Amino acid sequence: MHLTEQERAWLAGESGPALRRAMEIIVALGQIYGADRLLPVQSVQISGVSYRNLGEAGLEFLQQWLAEGARVRVPTMLNPAALDLHAWQAQGFDPHFAARQQAVIEIFRRMGVGEGDPQPTCTPYLIGVTPSLGEHVAWAESSAVSYANSVLGARTNREGGPGAIAAALTGRTADYGMHRDEARRATLRVRVTAQLRGPADYSALGAIVGKRSGKRVPYFEGLPLTRGEPLWEAKLKALGAALAATGAVALYHVADVTPEACAGPVLAEAYESITISDITPGYARFSSERKQIDLVWIGCPHAAPDEIARVADAVRGKTLRVPLWITCARPVKAWAEEQGAAATLEAAGGRIFADACMAIAPLRSLGFDTVATVSAKGAFYLQNLAGVATHLGDLSRCVNAALTGHWV
Ligand code: F3S
């Protein structure tokens, strides 16, 4: 692998153990995947932030890297934590867990993440980190990776936890996979004839196609979507998140919508074609027998302002029987507070929480056994990580569940 003089010096430990460790990780990844050089990256998103997943061993690993002198070199964001860093008491977390989660965040803060003010989110592109077409970045969270590659046309593999930290410290990633033109060609052509309305329908579609895609790049035709229409980004965000969760899709193209599909042909020479005429199996996959709902969760991936406004409109003047929580980035929460949407939600019995992802939170110990959501990705991880029963439905169905406490 060709390394620049500076990269070789970092690898030799001439700038300290933190950079040497980072270079060893990046070079090892490059060798595994056949890269012949490293690329500079403009931004990094680090995953593996939840204390529930990291535990004491993960915390120690991070502490050691920090003690070796780890400092980020490019703009770096954090994936969500298990809780709202400022309002965890309202979520019911115990102080010990909250303190350990805060300790994780403090390590990243001291590394320089978020310029010293980490604002954990899986939607960095909603708070000003929007890489442009062809720009190389090193992001980690699967829905953010999908959005960066597909909707923005940037280039990133799905970085693992240590790989993303290594990229942040060096400003480099290995040149393989999604960074290269040949991996970005579509090998699954998806004709969609099913009726699609709101973002939840796109999520259900993503759950069906993700399973069929595996690691392939899908190319969608027939989506009733135009750039700039209301909620178009929310729909693509939902589609990409579900594709990534139920398959391993890091990039998809949509005819006449996503930038690479608008720029020219994206289909590979050889591809398979499928038609999706019904999205109900995508919903059914995440529906449990248990009809009593304990929590309604919206904001997976983290909610955008237009999505929060839509929920506030739906609950305005009503009284919820079970909690409805929206998760979003901290600046988006601030927007909701300024605009009155947060007050509308709270008057009904809902809450907005920043920084947090409910799929990586210890939900059962918070007293939630069945959760309704509009997100197939959310439902997938609620089942597989949080170990709770789920229901997947559109916004009106989820709001109805919050109003009645039942799934109908
Ligand atoms: Fe984000 Fe958690 Fe969903 S990281 S995409 S809210 S599973």
Side-chain angles (χ1 to χ4, degrees):
M1 185 187 303
H2 170 77
L3 297 179
T4 64
E5 206 175 302
Q6 182 176 56
E7 291 162 354
R8 279 200 303 274
W10 287 342
L11 186 59
E14 290 173 20
S15 298
L19 270 168
R20 184 183 60 217
R21 187 200 289 251
M23 281 299 294
E24 284 169 355
I25 292 170
I26 292 173
V27 169
L29 284 169
Q31 284 166 342
I32 290 167
Y33 292 106
D36 58 8
R37 62 172 182 161
L38 306 185
L39 293 168
V41 292
Q42 305 305 313
S43 63
V44 173
Q45 186 214 23
I46 294 173
S47 65
V49 175
S50 168
Y51 176 68
R52 182 169 185 259
N53 297 343
L54 283 169
E56 284 304 305
L59 194 51
E60 239 173 69
F61 171 78
L62 293 173
Q63 264 158 350
Q64 192 186 342
W65 214 346
L66 175 66
E68 289 172 353
R71 299 290 180 277
V72 306
R73 183 173 297 268
V74 291
T76 302
M77 312 285 296
L78 280 191
N79 206 33
L83 44 71
D84 185 315
L85 298 170
H86 299 172
W88 53 268
Q89 293 95 334
Q91 291 179 289
F93 282 90
D94 83 67
H96 172 74
F97 183 93
R100 299 318 277 161
Q101 181 64 81
Q102 302 274 10
V104 173
I105 302 297
E106 176 61 14
I107 291 172
F108 285 119
R109 189 191 69 72
R110 290 175 62 196
M111 286 184 185
V113 171
E115 294 176 354
D117 180 20
Q119 302 191 341
T121 181
C122 47
T123 55
Y125 48 86
L126 291 179
I127 58 169
V129 186
T130 48
S132 50
L133 183 64
E135 190 170 299
H136 296 279
V137 299
W139 288 14
E141 194 280 317
S142 68
S143 76
V145 165
S146 169
Y147 198 93
N149 278 319
S150 312
V151 184
L152 302 177
R155 295 183 172 220
T156 178
N157 291 313
R158 185 182 175 189
E159 300 285 346
I165 298 172
L169 303 192
T170 59
R172 304 284 195 281
T173 194
D175 182 15
Y176 69 93
M178 286 293 132
H179 294 285
R180 303 190 63 84
D181 289 344
E182 57 272 21
R184 301 180 70 87
R185 296 267 161 199
T187 49
L188 182 68
R189 184 178 200 166
V190 186
R191 277 190 60 237
V192 179
T193 57
Q195 293 282 319
L196 300 178
R197 295 180 187 84
D201 284 354
Y202 283 77
S203 194
L205 171 68
I208 296 168
V209 177
K211 206 170 166 203
R212 305 272 299 264
S213 295
K215 286 186 169 171
R216 289 182 290 178
V217 176
Y219 171 60
F220 289 93
E221 294 173 320
L223 293 188
L225 182 70
T226 48
R227 275 185 95 86
E229 72 176 31
L231 293 170
W232 74 279
E233 288 156 309
K235 290 172 183 174
L236 292 179
K237 174 161 74 83
L239 174 65
L243 285 167
T246 58
V249 176
L251 164 68
Y252 63 91
H253 302 290
V254 179
D256 302 321
V257 176
T258 54
E260 287 174 46
C262 289
V266 289
L267 275 168
E269 265 177 36
Y271 57 85
E272 185 195 348
S273 291
I274 61 173
T275 299
I276 305 295
S277 55
D278 180 15
I279 55 167
T280 49
Y283 281 110
R285 181 175 168 189
F286 298 104
S287 293
S288 72
E289 294 295 308
R290 197 165 176 271
K291 299 299 177 200
Q292 186 190 319
I293 301 296
D294 304 318
L295 173 71
V296 175
W297 175 33
I298 295 180
C300 170
H302 275 177
D306 53 359
E307 294 172 276
I308 294 177
R310 206 165 154 243
V311 183
D313 286 345
V315 303
R316 192 181 310 280
K318 297 176 180 162
T319 303
L320 305 178
R321 287 188 66 160
V322 299
L324 183 157
W325 289 358
I326 298 178
T327 46
C328 63
R330 185 158 294 283
V332 175
K333 183 180 179 187
W335 173 91
E337 286 165 349
E338 276 162 30
Q339 299 296 315
T344 303
L345 278 157
E346 279 179 33
R351 284 295 297 258
I352 300 178
F353 293 109
D355 316 317
C357 165
M358 293 303 97
I360 51 173
L363 284 182
R364 292 180 77 94
S365 66
L366 297 179
F368 303 127
D369 291 328
T370 308
V371 181
T373 179
V374 294
S375 165
K377 173 171 182 178
F380 182 88
Y381 284 113
L382 285 167
Q383 289 183 2
N384 293 304
L385 287 181
V388 298
T390 64
H391 285 282
L392 177 65
D394 63 14
L395 181 61
S396 65
R397 216 166 168 201
C398 284
V399 167
N400 186 60
L403 289 168
T404 63
H406 287 91
W407 191 256
V408 287

PDB file of all heavy atoms in Angstrom, residues 79-80 122 141 143 297 299-302 357 359 377 381, ligand 1:
ATOM      1  N   ASN A  79     -22.377   9.301  17.108  1.00  0.00           N
ATOM      2  CA  ASN A  79     -23.662   8.632  16.984  1.00  0.00           C
ATOM      3  C   ASN A  79     -24.425   8.776  18.312  1.00  0.00           C
ATOM      4  O   ASN A  79     -23.829   9.114  19.336  1.00  0.00           O
ATOM      5  CB  ASN A  79     -23.383   7.148  16.674  1.00  0.00           C
ATOM      6  CG  ASN A  79     -24.515   6.511  15.928  1.00  0.00           C
ATOM      7  OD1 ASN A  79     -25.179   7.153  15.132  1.00  0.00           O
ATOM      8  ND2 ASN A  79     -24.739   5.243  16.185  1.00  0.00           N
ATOM      9  N   PRO A  80     -25.751   8.530  18.335  1.00  0.00           N
ATOM     10  CA  PRO A  80     -26.505   8.713  19.578  1.00  0.00           C
ATOM     11  C   PRO A  80     -25.998   7.873  20.744  1.00  0.00           C
ATOM     12  O   PRO A  80     -25.416   6.814  20.589  1.00  0.00           O
ATOM     13  CB  PRO A  80     -27.921   8.279  19.190  1.00  0.00           C
ATOM     14  CG  PRO A  80     -27.991   8.491  17.740  1.00  0.00           C
ATOM     15  CD  PRO A  80     -26.623   8.194  17.209  1.00  0.00           C
ATOM     16  N   CYS A 122     -27.621  10.486  14.821  1.00  0.00           N
ATOM     17  CA  CYS A 122     -27.428   9.663  13.630  1.00  0.00           C
ATOM     18  C   CYS A 122     -27.783  10.458  12.379  1.00  0.00           C
ATOM     19  O   CYS A 122     -27.791   9.900  11.276  1.00  0.00           O
ATOM     20  CB  CYS A 122     -28.246   8.382  13.718  1.00  0.00           C
ATOM     21  SG  CYS A 122     -29.951   8.639  14.227  1.00  0.00           S
ATOM     22  N   GLU A 141     -22.600   5.193  11.345  1.00  0.00           N
ATOM     23  CA  GLU A 141     -23.954   4.681  11.606  1.00  0.00           C
ATOM     24  C   GLU A 141     -24.618   4.350  10.277  1.00  0.00           C
ATOM     25  O   GLU A 141     -24.572   5.147   9.338  1.00  0.00           O
ATOM     26  CB  GLU A 141     -24.750   5.724  12.412  1.00  0.00           C
ATOM     27  CG  GLU A 141     -26.024   5.182  13.016  1.00  0.00           C
ATOM     28  CD  GLU A 141     -27.147   5.119  12.014  1.00  0.00           C
ATOM     29  OE1 GLU A 141     -27.316   6.082  11.253  1.00  0.00           O
ATOM     30  OE2 GLU A 141     -27.835   4.078  11.983  1.00  0.00           O
ATOM     31  N   SER A 143     -27.593   4.192   8.851  1.00  0.00           N
ATOM     32  CA  SER A 143     -28.556   5.046   8.130  1.00  0.00           C
ATOM     33  C   SER A 143     -27.888   6.338   7.664  1.00  0.00           C
ATOM     34  O   SER A 143     -28.213   6.871   6.600  1.00  0.00           O
ATOM     35  CB  SER A 143     -29.779   5.361   9.004  1.00  0.00           C
ATOM     36  OG  SER A 143     -29.474   6.334   9.990  1.00  0.00           O
ATOM     37  N   TRP A 297     -42.412   5.432  19.774  1.00  0.00           N
ATOM     38  CA  TRP A 297     -41.110   6.071  19.506  1.00  0.00           C
ATOM     39  C   TRP A 297     -41.049   6.536  18.057  1.00  0.00           C
ATOM     40  O   TRP A 297     -41.233   5.758  17.135  1.00  0.00           O
ATOM     41  CB  TRP A 297     -39.979   5.071  19.776  1.00  0.00           C
ATOM     42  CG  TRP A 297     -38.620   5.589  19.431  1.00  0.00           C
ATOM     43  CD1 TRP A 297     -38.176   6.877  19.518  1.00  0.00           C
ATOM     44  CD2 TRP A 297     -37.518   4.824  18.909  1.00  0.00           C
ATOM     45  NE1 TRP A 297     -36.872   6.957  19.103  1.00  0.00           N
ATOM     46  CE2 TRP A 297     -36.432   5.722  18.736  1.00  0.00           C
ATOM     47  CE3 TRP A 297     -37.329   3.478  18.593  1.00  0.00           C
ATOM     48  CZ2 TRP A 297     -35.197   5.316  18.242  1.00  0.00           C
ATOM     49  CZ3 TRP A 297     -36.092   3.077  18.117  1.00  0.00           C
ATOM     50  CH2 TRP A 297     -35.041   3.983  17.951  1.00  0.00           C
ATOM     51  N   GLY A 299     -38.580   9.017  15.447  1.00  0.00           N
ATOM     52  CA  GLY A 299     -37.264   9.660  15.396  1.00  0.00           C
ATOM     53  C   GLY A 299     -36.145   8.655  15.244  1.00  0.00           C
ATOM     54  O   GLY A 299     -35.111   8.759  15.878  1.00  0.00           O
ATOM     55  N   CYS A 300     -36.365   7.674  14.384  1.00  0.00           N
ATOM     56  CA  CYS A 300     -35.339   6.704  14.020  1.00  0.00           C
ATOM     57  C   CYS A 300     -35.343   6.588  12.505  1.00  0.00           C
ATOM     58  O   CYS A 300     -36.289   6.025  11.964  1.00  0.00           O
ATOM     59  CB  CYS A 300     -35.600   5.338  14.646  1.00  0.00           C
ATOM     60  SG  CYS A 300     -34.507   4.034  13.994  1.00  0.00           S
ATOM     61  N   PRO A 301     -34.339   7.131  11.810  1.00  0.00           N
ATOM     62  CA  PRO A 301     -33.271   7.983  12.306  1.00  0.00           C
ATOM     63  C   PRO A 301     -33.824   9.264  12.949  1.00  0.00           C
ATOM     64  O   PRO A 301     -34.996   9.602  12.780  1.00  0.00           O
ATOM     65  CB  PRO A 301     -32.467   8.317  11.042  1.00  0.00           C
ATOM     66  CG  PRO A 301     -32.817   7.230  10.062  1.00  0.00           C
ATOM     67  CD  PRO A 301     -34.228   6.854  10.362  1.00  0.00           C
ATOM     68  N   HIS A 302     -32.963   9.969  13.660  1.00  0.00           N
ATOM     69  CA  HIS A 302     -33.379  11.160  14.379  1.00  0.00           C
ATOM     70  C   HIS A 302     -34.273  12.057  13.509  1.00  0.00           C
ATOM     71  O   HIS A 302     -34.013  12.258  12.320  1.00  0.00           O
ATOM     72  CB  HIS A 302     -32.148  11.941  14.842  1.00  0.00           C
ATOM     73  CG  HIS A 302     -31.599  11.451  16.150  1.00  0.00           C
ATOM     74  ND1 HIS A 302     -30.467  11.964  16.727  1.00  0.00           N
ATOM     75  CD2 HIS A 302     -32.060  10.500  17.008  1.00  0.00           C
ATOM     76  CE1 HIS A 302     -30.248  11.347  17.883  1.00  0.00           C
ATOM     77  NE2 HIS A 302     -31.191  10.443  18.062  1.00  0.00           N
ATOM     78  N   CYS A 357     -30.904   7.261  21.402  1.00  0.00           N
ATOM     79  CA  CYS A 357     -31.504   6.247  20.532  1.00  0.00           C
ATOM     80  C   CYS A 357     -32.143   5.203  21.434  1.00  0.00           C
ATOM     81  O   CYS A 357     -31.458   4.603  22.271  1.00  0.00           O
ATOM     82  CB  CYS A 357     -30.432   5.600  19.663  1.00  0.00           C
ATOM     83  SG  CYS A 357     -30.971   4.080  18.872  1.00  0.00           S
ATOM     84  N   ALA A 359     -33.246   2.297  20.684  1.00  0.00           N
ATOM     85  CA  ALA A 359     -32.908   0.906  20.373  1.00  0.00           C
ATOM     86  C   ALA A 359     -31.696   0.433  21.170  1.00  0.00           C
ATOM     87  O   ALA A 359     -31.496  -0.766  21.337  1.00  0.00           O
ATOM     88  CB  ALA A 359     -32.636   0.757  18.879  1.00  0.00           C
ATOM     89  N   LYS A 377     -36.374   0.277  10.736  1.00  0.00           N
ATOM     90  CA  LYS A 377     -35.056   0.123  11.370  1.00  0.00           C
ATOM     91  C   LYS A 377     -35.216   0.131  12.882  1.00  0.00           C
ATOM     92  O   LYS A 377     -34.617  -0.674  13.589  1.00  0.00           O
ATOM     93  CB  LYS A 377     -34.094   1.236  10.942  1.00  0.00           C
ATOM     94  CG  LYS A 377     -32.809   1.133  11.748  1.00  0.00           C
ATOM     95  CD  LYS A 377     -31.685   2.002  11.338  1.00  0.00           C
ATOM     96  CE  LYS A 377     -30.506   1.677  12.275  1.00  0.00           C
ATOM     97  NZ  LYS A 377     -29.307   2.394  11.987  1.00  0.00           N
ATOM     98  N   TYR A 381     -34.196  -3.066  15.422  1.00  0.00           N
ATOM     99  CA  TYR A 381     -33.240  -3.035  16.532  1.00  0.00           C
ATOM    100  C   TYR A 381     -33.931  -3.066  17.893  1.00  0.00           C
ATOM    101  O   TYR A 381     -33.346  -3.553  18.868  1.00  0.00           O
ATOM    102  CB  TYR A 381     -32.295  -1.837  16.398  1.00  0.00           C
ATOM    103  CG  TYR A 381     -31.254  -2.094  15.329  1.00  0.00           C
ATOM    104  CD1 TYR A 381     -31.239  -1.358  14.158  1.00  0.00           C
ATOM    105  CD2 TYR A 381     -30.320  -3.109  15.481  1.00  0.00           C
ATOM    106  CE1 TYR A 381     -30.300  -1.616  13.162  1.00  0.00           C
ATOM    107  CE2 TYR A 381     -29.389  -3.381  14.494  1.00  0.00           C
ATOM    108  CZ  TYR A 381     -29.375  -2.633  13.337  1.00  0.00           C
ATOM    109  OH  TYR A 381     -28.458  -2.915  12.358  1.00  0.00           O
TER     110      TYR A 381
HETATM  111 FE1  F3S B   1     -30.474   6.382  14.804  1.00  0.00          FE
HETATM  112 FE2  F3S B   1     -30.793   4.591  16.681  1.00  0.00          FE
HETATM  113 FE3  F3S B   1     -32.372   4.582  14.645  1.00  0.00          FE
HETATM  114  S1  F3S B   1     -28.871   5.316  15.867  1.00  0.00           S
HETATM  115  S2  F3S B   1     -31.101   5.287  12.980  1.00  0.00           S
HETATM  116  S3  F3S B   1     -32.217   6.241  16.171  1.00  0.00           S
HETATM  117  S4  F3S B   1     -31.571   2.772  15.639  1.00  0.00           S
END
